[in-house]
């Protein structure tokens, strides 16, 4: 039996680099590879036209500058034979082959608890024992099983793009059928068409493709890399896609249509997947923006393809652009103008069977000399679960992943100690320049093994908590994008029976690298380790906040802003006003009117948001946030627009007096006066008399809650519901959420103390007009929706108010928002993960107001 420190499965980009690093770190290692040479993807995929679609200067190893210096790429996107030669060159130069066993497939792997080692078995009968076991088996290495009837009957030649004959194929004079129109088909069809006497392409779902403009390596880029190589490679490692690229800072709908088209045209002329999809910053998240790019590409297809009917069949319409792998082509669409090329739409004429002589679709039979299957891969998980892997307690990976893959960081799996996956599900992998992602994973794994050795440890495994947290984070990130809308291989949707789960991590290469490094810096957070020095569990979740909230927090942290509570009140107000200028404006409403109403001690400004639907409308009186010190109807403008659209109610946002100029109880007194005046003047404002609810955020929610108590005690006006978003309900600042979330989530415990100090004397703070939770009775208050956020100092007092209302017999619903912070739910169009909660708020207002639901 072979006995080594590490077994690596696969000898593509990943396996080769890993072997090199392991040797350098002093680990004994053995690589097993099914193919009879190195290369992986570039060994198997030899179909005509096969080439990379990330520029070769980027799609190559970066770990050793010598390879950059000595290897000359012949084209911007190198063809497969050249990439294979490159990998052979690397293997030769680093003398890797002596530790690779070719033509050997790993069939099974079992964790042996007694020895804390993996025992592997190959199809060729080899048995191997190793301390660590790494699957470098590739994301696109397991061809999808054919789900087409009758292939064995066909008397002509059958080819698969993913297992192309090494000697090549000459289609000259042949009638050829190609089944599939994914990336491999789009690359090969124009070349097959050049040779074949007749070519028929069978298409189920059309794909978007952009021109490659392939040619010589761009001299400017080469010179740039040569002159500032280290910075260029560092930029790539921290970029979203593993390639330095400028991603726009504006959304597609924020510019005029003319400018939008001009930008798309410029990007189209330039090429490059990552740059093209980065023309605007919201193309992968905003359906309306995305559709503008879809339509732009469709217009290009229609302009190129002569026959309008064929052009329409080639125009994708069933998924947002970018949510399936965007293809890069040379003359793909032009090929359909050739007289001997025909496109068959399988959605109209479903494929019936392969026959002895060709292909039958419903309504027509085709005869061929050769059929090419370009039917794709069982991506990301296929090659991993193809090996029978059994972890602790007899758990098989196939069973563990039966409802979709679960990993920690896409690198490790709970229940499978000392097993690593390179570019596994839950990592950026296929959404990136994969060489950069491979190098990052290899470096992380080798670093981990070195740390283990240094610390006398032999076993490492993620905890269930860490893994579940990561899976949640990956899903949360996917859910704020359009990716889940496509039936793509990213979603596992191309393989019958495969769970529909978004497989890669969409947070970007740079963000992901930072997270992996942070896991190490926090002493391998989320891992349990064991060895001669003992056993240690460092349980925890690396990114518990919602993905977009995390990005916002990082951006803000990066600005190094001073804490509000260290400023004068005037400076804090000026500062918070200036911060608000950067945010998205929120949706359009029917009409916005500014006005003045009588408060408790003088006039108050208000802003009225009228829905676009026909009035009269029910009314929501809204109170802004800002700790009774900051804010205005301007600060909460996007949120009020959003509430107006979602509830189809008129929102009247009232500017109550602020502390410290007007301390407690000025704010609730103004709030109550405003509600009284609005209720009395409902009809003249365009409202429905008697249909009035209150809403507020933070200190504004405190005002709203108090106003409900004042109205109850005063016998009116009637308030039919209260929406309290992350409310202040009590002056007790010692609750658990104040401790857990004291710092780091924008609203801090010190800032909240600063607000209270400006607002109310300590002796007043227990007054129910300041702390509505302390009211003698909470009975007979309007129905309530109370929204709290997990990472908010105010979380527990909001929850306490919900409990207390319920105990008093008030109809109340508590909506706790996982991963959100105090300021995130009101950040309309900026924090997309808050949209579901905002929808519930709108729905609650509709119910409070008995509003009819508009079409
Ligand atoms: C046609 C095509 C074009 C691509 N173009 C790009 C591009 O432009 N940019 C980009 O970033 N990515 C591209 N990719 C993705 C590509 O797969 C990766 O970039 C990269 O080559 C993956 O390297 P790898 O070593 O991780 O896996 P692979 O290259 O897939 O190698 C895995 C190896 O593991 C072996 N193996 C699997 N299971 C076993 C087993 N049980 N026992 C033994 N051996 C096993 C396989 O035989 C294979 O050789 C492309 C993929 C394809 C198919």
């Amino acid at each position: 039996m072979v006995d080594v420190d590490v077994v690596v499965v696969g000898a593509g980009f990943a396996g080769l680099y890993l072997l090199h690093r392991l040797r350098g770190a002093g680990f004994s290692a053995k690589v097993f590879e099914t193919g009879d040479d190195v290369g992986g993807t570039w060994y198997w995929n030899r179909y005509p036209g096969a080439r990379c679609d990330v520029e070769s200067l980027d799609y190559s190893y970066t770990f050793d500058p010598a390879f950059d210096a000595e290897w000359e790429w012949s084209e911007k996107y190198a063809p497969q034979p050249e990439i294979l030669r490159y990998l052979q060159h690397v293997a030769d130069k680093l003398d890797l082959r002596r530790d690779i066993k070719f033509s050997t497939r790993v069939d099974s792997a079992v964790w042996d608890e007694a020895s804390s080692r993996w025992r592997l078995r190959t199809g060729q009968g080899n048995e191997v024992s190793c301390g660590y076991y790494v699957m470098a088996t590739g994301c696109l290495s397991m061809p999808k099983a054919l789900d087409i009837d009758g292939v064995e009957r066909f008397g002509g030649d059958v080819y698969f793009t993913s297992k192309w004959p090494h000697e090549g194929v000459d289609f000259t004079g042949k009638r050829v059928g190609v089944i599939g129109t994914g990336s491999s088909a789009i690359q090969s069809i124009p070349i097959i068409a050049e040779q074949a006497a007749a070519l028929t392409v069978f298409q189920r779902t059309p794909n978007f493709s952009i021109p490659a403009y392939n040619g010589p390596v761009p001299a400017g880029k080469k010179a740039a890399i040569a002159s500032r190589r280290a910075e260029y490679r560092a930029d790539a490692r921290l970029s979203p896609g593993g390639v330095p690229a400028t991603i726009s800072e504006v959304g597609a709908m924020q510019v005029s249509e003319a400018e939008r088209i001009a930008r798309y045209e410029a990007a189209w002329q330039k090429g490059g997947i990552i740059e093209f999809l980065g023309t605007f910053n919201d193309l992968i998240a905003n359906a309306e923006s995305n559709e503008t790019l879809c339509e732009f590409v469709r217009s290009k297809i229609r302009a190129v393809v002569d026959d309008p009917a064929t052009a329409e069949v080639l125009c994708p319409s069933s998924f947002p652009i970018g949510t399936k792998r965007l293809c890069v082509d040379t003359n793909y669409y032009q090929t359909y103008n050739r007289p001997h090329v025909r496109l068959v739409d399988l959605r109209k004429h479903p494929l019936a069977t392969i026959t002895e002589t060709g292909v039958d679709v419903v309504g027509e039979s085709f005869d061929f000399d050769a059929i090419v299957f370009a039917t794709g891969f069982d991506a990301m998980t296929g090659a991993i679960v193809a090996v029978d892997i059994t972890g602790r307690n007899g758990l098989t990976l196939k069973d563990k992943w039966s409802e979709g893959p679960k990993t920690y960081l896409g690198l490790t799996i709970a229940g499978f100690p000392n097993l690593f996956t390179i570019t596994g599900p839950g990592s950026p992998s296929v959404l990136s320049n994969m060489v950069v992602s491979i190098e990052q994973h290899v470096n992380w794994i080798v670093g981990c093994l070195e740390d283990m050795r240094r610390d006398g440890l032999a076993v490492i495994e993620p905890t269930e908590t860490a893994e579940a947290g990561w899976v949640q984070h990956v899903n949360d990130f996917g859910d704020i994008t359009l990716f889940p809308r496509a039936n793509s291989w990213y979603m596992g949707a191309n393989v019958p029976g495969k769970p529909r789960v978004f497989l890669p991590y969409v947070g970007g290469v740079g963000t992901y690298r930072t997270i992996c490094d942070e896991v190490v810096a926090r002493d391998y957070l989320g891992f349990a380790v064991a060895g001669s020095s003992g056993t240690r569990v460092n349980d925890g979740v690396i990114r518990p906040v919602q993905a977009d909230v995390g990005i916002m927090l990082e951006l803000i942290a990066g600005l190094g802003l001073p804490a509000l509570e260290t400023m004068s009140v005037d400076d804090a107000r000026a500062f918070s006003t200036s911060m608000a200028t950067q945010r998205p404006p929120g949706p359009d409403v029917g009409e916005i009117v500014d006005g003045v109403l009588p408060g408790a001690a003088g006039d108050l400004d208000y802003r009225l948001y009228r829905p676009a639907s026909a009035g009269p409308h029910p009314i929501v009186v809204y109170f802004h946030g800002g700790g009774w010190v900051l804010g205005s109807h301007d600060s909460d403008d996007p949120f009020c627009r959003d509430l107006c659209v979602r509830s189809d109610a008129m929102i009247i946002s009232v500017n109550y007096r602020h502390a410290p100029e007007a301390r407690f109880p000025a704010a609730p007194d103004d709030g109550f006066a405003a509600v009284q005046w609005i209720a009395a003047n409902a009809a003249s404002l365009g409202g429905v008399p008697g249909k009035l609810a209150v809403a507020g955020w933070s200190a504004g929610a405190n005002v709203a809650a108090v106003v409900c108590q004042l109205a109850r005690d005063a016998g009116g006006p009637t308030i039919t519901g209260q929406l309290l978003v992350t409310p202040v309900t009590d002056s007790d600042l010692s609750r658990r959420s104040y401790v857990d979330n004291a710092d780091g989530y924008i609203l801090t415990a010190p800032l909240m103390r600063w607000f209270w100090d400006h607002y109310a004397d300590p002796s007043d703070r227990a007054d129910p007009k300041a702390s509505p939770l302390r009211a003698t009775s909470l009975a007979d208050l309007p129905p309530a929706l109370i929204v709290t956020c997990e990472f908010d100092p105010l979380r527990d007092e909001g929850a306490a108010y919900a409990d207390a209302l319920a105990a008093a017999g008030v109809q109340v619903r508590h909506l706790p928002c996982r991963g959100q912070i105090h300021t995130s739910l009101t950040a309309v169009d900026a924090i997309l993960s808050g949209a579901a909660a905002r929808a519930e708020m709108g729905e609650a207002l509709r119910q409070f107001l008995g509003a009819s639901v508009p079409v």
Side-chain angles (χ1 to χ4, degrees):
M1 181 185 300
V2 179
D3 209 331
V4 285
D5 294 332
V6 188
V7 162
V8 179
V9 189
F13 266 105
L16 294 179
Y17 178 47
L18 180 57
L19 175 58
H20 171 62
R21 283 292 327 266
L22 287 168
R23 274 189 193 164
F27 294 100
S28 61
K30 191 91 202 155
V31 178
F32 292 92
E33 166 58 57
T34 312
D36 58 15
D37 197 5
V38 299
T41 289
W42 305 102
Y43 169 88
W44 297 106
N45 292 268
R46 299 168 186 243
Y47 58 84
R51 59 181 71 246
C52 52
D53 55 15
V54 169
E55 290 187 36
S56 291
L57 286 177
D58 297 303
Y59 186 68
S60 37
Y61 285 125
T62 70
F63 68 87
D64 185 349
F67 289 119
D68 279 356
E70 69 199 25
W71 190 266
E72 287 284 331
W73 293 108
S74 67
E75 292 176 68
K76 181 171 154 188
Y77 300 105
Q80 170 272 329
E82 192 173 339
I83 305 175
L84 181 58
R85 275 203 306 281
Y86 170 80
L87 288 167
Q88 289 167 336
H89 166 75
V90 171
D92 289 342
K93 191 164 174 212
L94 301 176
D95 186 21
L96 298 176
R97 283 198 173 86
R98 69 182 153 88
D99 282 324
I100 306 175
K101 192 150 175 45
F102 294 109
S103 311
T104 307
R105 185 182 185 283
V106 172
D107 277 348
S108 67
V110 179
W111 173 251
D112 177 23
E113 198 71 55
S115 63
S116 291
R117 292 180 76 78
W118 282 97
R119 299 202 185 284
L120 277 63
R121 195 178 275 277
T122 74
Q124 287 59 35
N126 309 82
E127 288 195 21
V128 195
S129 154
C130 56
Y132 301 97
Y133 161 39
V134 187
M135 293 291 273
T137 42
C139 292
L140 300 170
S141 57
M142 172 60 65
K144 183 186 135 178
L146 265 192
D147 52 357
I148 302 170
D149 237 20
V151 182
E152 66 294 339
R153 275 205 296 266
F154 182 59
D157 299 324
V158 172
Y159 302 103
F160 295 86
T161 50
S162 54
K163 286 223 162 68
W164 204 257
H166 288 201
E167 62 282 9
V169 181
D170 183 3
F171 290 109
T172 306
K174 301 248 167 88
R175 296 162 303 163
V176 183
V178 173
I179 298 183
T181 50
S183 196
S184 301
I186 282 177
Q187 288 187 332
S188 58
I189 283 167
I191 297 175
I192 297 174
E194 278 170 20
Q195 299 172 356
L199 171 64
T200 306
V201 177
F202 296 90
Q203 171 191 278
R204 193 169 51 191
T205 312
N207 268 306
F208 289 104
S209 185
I210 63 172
Y213 304 117
N214 200 16
V217 171
K221 183 161 180 167
K222 201 171 163 195
I225 296 180
S227 65
R228 45 183 293 278
R229 184 183 183 281
E231 295 100 296
Y232 186 90
R233 296 301 189 202
D235 284 354
R237 292 180 191 124
L238 292 174
S239 69
V243 175
T246 314
I247 309 291
S248 166
E249 286 180 359
V250 286
M253 308 316 290
Q254 285 172 262
V255 301
S256 68
E257 189 182 350
E259 184 178 344
R260 199 160 51 231
I261 303 286
R263 288 202 196 192
Y264 288 152
E265 187 62 44
W268 180 269
Q269 296 305 337
K270 202 159 159 264
I273 297 176
I274 293 170
E275 293 85 345
F276 190 66
L277 292 174
T279 310
F280 293 104
N281 68 2
D282 62 345
L283 290 170
I284 287 303
N286 180 320
E288 192 185 3
S289 298
N290 185 286
E291 177 56 24
T292 64
L293 184 59
C294 292
E295 198 43 40
F296 175 82
V297 178
R298 288 183 206 121
S299 74
K300 291 292 184 189
I301 298 171
R302 291 178 188 124
V304 167
V305 179
D306 296 341
D307 174 35
T310 304
E312 279 324 300
V313 177
L314 287 167
C315 281
S317 59
S318 58
F319 60 94
I321 187 167
T323 59
K324 284 189 169 199
R325 177 91 186 170
L326 184 60
C327 301
V328 172
D329 73 275
T330 301
N331 295 330
Y332 174 64
Y333 294 115
Q334 291 82 345
T335 300
Y336 292 96
N337 294 335
R338 303 182 74 147
H340 67 298
V341 177
R342 183 172 161 198
L343 180 67
V344 175
D345 182 357
L346 295 179
R347 285 173 307 183
K348 272 208 188 126
H349 307 280
L351 204 154
T353 184
I354 308 290
T355 64
E356 288 75 4
T357 56
V359 173
D360 278 5
V361 300
V362 171
E364 197 170 350
S365 294
F366 297 83
D367 286 344
F368 296 121
D369 302 308
I371 302 176
V372 175
F373 289 95
T375 37
F377 297 92
D378 182 349
M380 297 199 71
T381 55
I384 300 176
V385 295
V387 177
D388 283 329
I389 303 177
T390 309
R392 279 196 208 279
N393 306 319
L395 177 66
T396 66
L397 192 59
K398 243 182 234 121
D399 279 350
K400 165 143 185 167
W401 283 7
S402 60
E403 287 168 8
K406 295 183 178 69
T407 71
Y408 184 38
L409 305 171
L411 269 166
T412 58
I413 303 161
F416 297 81
N418 291 8
L419 167 65
F420 297 90
T421 52
I422 296 192
T423 63
S427 74
S429 59
V430 290
L431 298 179
S432 68
N433 169 4
M434 290 198 67
V435 183
V436 167
S437 290
I438 284 168
E439 287 186 336
Q440 185 252 337
H441 266 188
V442 167
N443 292 338
W444 194 94
I445 292 167
V446 176
C448 171
L449 300 197
E450 287 176 317
D451 290 345
M452 300 269 297
R453 184 173 56 192
R454 180 199 60 208
D455 296 343
L457 297 166
V459 182
I460 182 164
E461 181 188 351
T463 67
E464 297 280 352
T465 315
E467 184 178 85
W470 183 251
V471 170
Q472 186 72 61
H473 179 65
V474 171
N475 288 336
D476 285 347
F477 231 136
D479 286 347
I480 57 173
T481 71
L482 302 171
F483 279 101
R485 298 193 187 189
N487 286 324
S488 62
W489 55 258
Y490 296 138
M491 296 293 302
N494 63 325
V495 176
K498 191 167 173 172
R500 202 174 189 287
V501 173
F502 184 54
L503 298 169
Y505 176 66
V506 74
V509 165
T511 309
Y512 174 78
R513 174 184 297 269
T514 310
I515 292 171
C516 291
D517 291 349
E518 191 182 320
V519 165
V520 175
R522 292 170 69 182
D523 207 7
Y524 287 91
L525 177 68
F527 283 102
V529 288
S532 55
S533 59
T535 299
R536 183 171 51 80
V537 181
N538 183 9
D539 206 3
V541 172
I542 183 70
R543 280 291 178 273
V545 293
Q546 288 283 343
D548 46 3
V549 174
I551 293 172
M552 180 177 74
L553 288 173
E554 274 167 31
L555 281 175
I556 290 174
L559 296 175
L561 303 173
L564 279 178
E565 67 273 18
T566 62
M567 300 181 189
S568 70
V569 166
D570 283 345
D571 286 350
R573 285 177 183 157
F575 180 76
S576 48
T577 305
S578 73
M579 289 298 286
T581 56
Q582 311 290 332
R583 67 192 175 184
D588 286 338
V589 299
E591 185 188 28
I592 295 181
V593 185
D594 283 348
V596 174
L597 57 75
D603 284 348
L604 304 174
D605 295 333
Y606 71 82
R607 178 166 293 168
L608 184 155
Y609 303 82
R610 205 184 303 284
S613 60
H617 296 100
I619 298 174
V620 177
V621 183
Y622 178 84
F623 302 104
H624 66 77
W628 308 282
V629 176
L630 313 173
S632 68
H633 49 38
D634 278 331
S635 63
D636 290 28
D637 185 77
F639 185 49
C640 287
R641 288 165 177 265
D642 195 69
L643 285 178
C644 176
V645 169
R646 290 185 191 275
S647 66
D648 199 41
M650 184 194 304
I651 309 290
I652 303 181
S653 174
V654 178
N655 276 359
Y656 51 92
R657 281 170 296 157
H658 282 165
E661 295 85 348
R663 287 163 66 85
F664 172 84
D669 286 349
D670 277 351
F672 187 43
V675 166
Q676 286 174 307
W677 184 84
I678 290 166
N681 294 278
S684 59
L685 290 164
V688 183
K691 283 195 171 183
L692 183 146
V694 294
W697 167 46
S698 188
N702 168 275
V703 173
V706 173
V707 163
C708 288
Q709 296 187 7
L710 295 176
R712 175 200 60 182
D713 297 344
T718 302
I719 297 175
T720 58
Q722 47 181 328
L723 167 63
L724 309 181
V725 184
T726 60
V728 183
T729 69
D730 194 16
S731 52
D732 173 3
L733 311 193
S734 66
R735 286 189 169 80
R736 176 93 216 163
S737 55
Y738 260 95
V739 179
D740 289 350
N741 309 314
D743 195 15
Y745 302 111
I746 299 184
L747 178 67
T748 62
L751 178 58
M752 205 53 218
R753 275 189 204 101
W754 187 79
F755 285 141
W756 272 110
D757 289 346
H758 281 298
Y759 179 51
D761 290 339
S763 57
D764 286 331
R765 293 184 193 175
D767 188 316
K769 278 175 85 172
S771 296
L773 183 61
R774 302 199 185 201
T776 330
S777 165
L778 293 173
D780 303 323
L781 287 169
L785 174 65
I786 297 183
V787 186
T788 59
C789 292
E790 186 178 1
F791 298 100
D792 179 2
L794 305 185
R795 179 194 66 206
D796 291 352
E797 66 194 76
Y801 199 56
D803 289 346
L805 287 181
V810 174
Q811 200 188 323
V812 59
R813 186 168 161 236
H814 176 202
L815 176 64
C817 295
R818 181 179 52 76
Q820 299 289 347
I821 63 171
H822 187 74
T823 51
S824 54
L825 295 181
T826 51
V828 174
D829 292 340
I831 299 300
L832 302 181
S833 60
R838 290 191 286 273
E840 296 210 36
M841 295 179 211
E843 185 52 37
L845 288 176
R846 283 170 189 270
Q847 285 176 13
F848 294 155
L849 296 162
S852 59
V853 181
V855 178

